[in-house]
Amino acid sequence: LKSPRFAFVGTFAVLLIMASGVFWAYQPSVTYGHSLYGLKRATEKVELAFAFSPLSKVDAHLNFSDRRLEEANSIMGKPSAVAFLLQTAFADEGEVDLTTEEENNLEKTLDDMKSEVDKAAEIIETRVTEPVRARLALERIEQVTDRHIETLAKLEKRVRPPRIKEMVRRISGNE
């Protein structure tokens, strides 16, 4: 009699722990290098697998691109302790110095953001056959891209390393 009850409680506890891990993984502060980042990306793959129509896949990719932009902002908003000390001691107001690891993480994150938008555009181009739906989906991409460009312009002003500035310009189309 106690064994089924124990199994139920144990299963419930494991599911609760897993659910809380997924919840925390979706926080913008979970970026490349974070222990929960793999879980975050894995749940996105599951989310994409359950997006059955081409338009729902487009929406999923655009949502993922928004997440990558939030992650980039998180990297810029929370530099490491060493970078923070350098920033407060030597940087101009508003600029952020990043460690090499943070620069690399930011670069990967921004590349992934652009890749998600490109995947959405490719789906529209190859799998959305109805012109009205394709036009609406392209308008959604345009809205997301405009929002990204606006945010990237602010980010470019705050980042110090030239290679990151160049990357931000390239991604936002301002090269």
Side-chain angles (χ1 to χ4, degrees), residues 70-108:
E70 290 173 0
E71 291 167 7
N73 278 323
S74 180
I75 292 169
M76 291 297 299
K78 295 184 178 181
S80 69
V82 172
F84 178 76
L85 291 174
L86 290 172
Q87 173 187 339
T88 55
F90 302 108
D92 296 333
E93 186 67 18
E95 287 189 331
V96 176
D97 278 326
L98 301 173
T99 66
T100 303
E101 181 181 6
E102 289 167 336
E103 285 181 30
N104 292 336
N105 291 346
L106 181 61
E107 185 173 22
K108 291 175 193 173

Side-chain angles (χ1 to χ4, degrees), residues 25-128:
Y26 272 90
Q27 301 302 310
S29 61
V30 175
T31 61
Y32 273 100
H34 192 284
S35 60
L36 292 175
Y37 195 70
L39 177 62
K40 183 180 206 173
R41 295 303 291 257
T43 57
E44 287 179 354
K45 288 180 183 178
V46 171
E47 195 176 325
L48 191 59
F50 282 99
F52 297 112
S53 74
L55 293 176
S56 62
K57 288 185 184 304
V58 167
D59 282 340
H61 283 296
L62 294 177
N63 289 335
F64 300 159
S65 73
D66 283 340
R67 284 186 197 145
R68 300 297 86 84
L69 189 60
E70 290 173 0
E71 291 167 7
N73 278 323
S74 180
I75 292 169
M76 291 297 299
K78 295 184 178 181
S80 69
V82 172
F84 178 76
L85 291 174
L86 290 172
Q87 173 187 339
T88 55
F90 302 108
D92 296 333
E93 186 67 18
E95 287 189 331
V96 176
D97 278 326
L98 301 173
T99 66
T100 303
E101 181 181 6
E102 289 167 336
E103 285 181 30
N104 292 336
N105 291 346
L106 181 61
E107 185 173 22
K108 291 175 193 173
T109 300
L110 292 174
D111 281 341
D112 284 352
M113 180 198 73
K114 183 178 183 325
S115 175
E116 293 294 348
V117 174
D118 291 345
K119 289 175 188 175
E122 182 181 339
I123 290 170
I124 293 169
E125 190 176 299
T126 60
R127 297 187 54 207
V128 179

